[in-house]
Amino acid sequence: MTEATGRETAGGTARPAAGAISEAVPEQAMRRLAQLQPGEKGSFFTSDLTVNEFLLVREAGFRPLGLVLGSSVYHVGMQLGRWSKNQELTKLSQAMYHARDLAMSRMEAEASALGADGIVGVRLDIEFKEFGSDIAEFIAVGTAVKADGADPGPGGTWLNNKGKPFTSDLSGQDFWTLIRAGYAPLDMVMGSCVYHVAHQRFAQALSTTGRNVEIETFTQALYNARELAMSRMQAEGKALDAEGIVAVQLRQHSHSWGSHTTEFFAIGTAVRPLRDDHVIDRPTMVLGLDA
């Protein structure tokens, strides 16, 4: 069974200890970052932003510094659930959250090494490996940016209230729109819930044969699992004193656990206001010439 270490969050999932993160960033990564020489004349940058996203991020007042990433190869252990009972598999929930947070924290450590104010266009992916069905790599990738004329508002800094670069999974276009309208990203917030959905007994399955009828046991299980993931994400946003969470995604994955065990994963970008007045541009209609 996987052991999740670190301090507990309000949602019951584990955050890694801060001191261990920088030590986990490989020396090769630190050498790669040092070659970028951010802030120096003729400095070189790397980015996974598209051309349009790159130009809009620059227009918003931010300069790309370099591509940053974090990785965690994690053994996801086992936890048994009762065959006929709906229940959260809390150890697995902690494992999936902890592995993602390790990857995110290492990406943030690379951004801090570049002196970045934030990370835009973050992608957070999972890939189960062929050398073990219970071994997965969790990868976080994004473009570290430095404020270049953008006003951080009354606080005087773009860093979030954890003293770390902000993170955002918004596209370059959405990031530009958010900044232009007077809001700023704080951090990507997330919640995870791995849930065992009870099996139907033979008599229950037989009673629904050929009928249109709700299977209330399944409905309640999936409803509960989604609510747990959403509430944990929401708790992280409130802990940041965010005004809200935008671009929320609620994903469902069975991974390698079988048909009756599934993970619900909620993720979004927590935001704060930059100023009291928000000027939101009215959308304009665009008609293609080849229409």
Side-chain angles (χ1 to χ4, degrees):
M1 187 174 297
T2 298
E3 179 183 359
T5 58
R7 60 185 184 274
E8 296 293 315
T9 66
T13 49
R15 302 298 298 258
I21 298 303
S22 60
E23 299 175 2
V25 178
E27 292 183 8
Q28 294 90 335
M30 300 306 293
R31 286 197 294 267
R32 170 178 58 84
L33 298 174
Q35 292 173 359
L36 296 175
Q37 299 176 336
E40 297 186 13
K41 186 177 180 179
S43 60
F44 182 81
F45 73 88
T46 55
S47 171
D48 60 348
L49 299 173
T50 66
V51 173
N52 286 340
E53 288 180 311
F54 163 68
L55 295 175
L56 285 170
V57 168
R58 291 292 286 129
E59 176 66 21
F62 291 85
R63 175 169 47 90
L65 298 178
L67 196 66
V68 290
L69 59 92
S71 173
S72 172
V73 178
Y74 209 91
H75 175 263
V76 181
M78 295 188 302
Q79 182 178 358
L80 299 178
R82 291 181 60 184
W83 193 85
S84 59
K85 181 181 179 181
N86 288 333
Q87 65 181 110
E88 181 184 10
L89 303 179
T90 55
K91 292 296 183 183
L92 296 185
S93 294
Q94 291 173 4
M96 298 299 289
Y97 184 95
H98 186 222
R100 289 186 179 97
D101 200 61
L102 283 171
M104 289 284 293
S105 298
R106 288 165 184 161
M107 179 186 66
E108 292 169 356
E110 288 197 5
S112 295
L114 288 174
D117 290 314
I119 311 171
V120 299
V122 174
R123 303 191 314 273
L124 186 57
D125 297 321
I126 305 175
E127 180 181 335
F128 278 82
K129 299 299 183 181
E130 293 181 357
F131 45 79
S133 60
D134 52 358
I135 297 176
E137 182 181 20
F138 296 76
I139 311 169
V141 182
T143 297
V145 296
K146 184 76 174 178
D148 189 12
D151 182 7
T157 180
W158 286 98
L159 302 180
N160 58 35
N161 60 6
K162 297 186 292 185
K164 295 182 178 181
F166 68 78
T167 57
S168 166
D169 60 350
L170 301 176
S171 68
Q173 291 87 340
D174 286 345
F175 178 76
W176 176 84
T177 303
L178 187 74
I179 298 295
R180 187 177 176 88
Y183 289 92
L186 276 169
D187 209 359
M188 286 174 62
V189 290
M190 55 189 178
S192 174
C193 175
V194 179
Y195 208 89
H196 175 262
V197 180
H199 293 73
Q200 282 188 297
R201 297 184 184 278
F202 179 76
Q204 293 173 318
L206 189 63
S207 67
T208 60
T209 302
R211 299 174 55 201
N212 291 331
V213 59
E214 181 183 16
I215 305 176
E216 295 183 3
T217 304
F218 289 178
T219 299
Q220 195 61 50
L222 299 182
Y223 204 122
N224 288 344
R226 288 189 180 96
E227 284 299 315
L228 285 169
M230 290 285 287
S231 63
R232 288 166 184 170
M233 178 192 68
Q234 185 173 305
E236 286 202 349
K238 288 184 176 181
L240 288 166
D241 294 325
E243 183 174 299
I245 306 171
V246 300
V248 172
Q249 300 177 57
L250 186 56
R251 307 170 186 170
Q252 181 180 358
H253 307 280
S254 292
H255 300 303
S256 59
W257 298 314
S259 59
H260 276 260
T261 300
T262 188
E263 182 196 24
F264 286 94
F265 180 62
I267 189 168
T269 296
V271 299
R272 64 178 176 91
L274 287 170
R275 55 181 186 268
D276 293 333
D277 59 317
H278 301 292
V279 180
I280 302 174
D281 291 336
R282 296 185 62 183
T284 56
M285 298 297 294
V286 178
L287 180 63
L289 296 177
D290 57 349

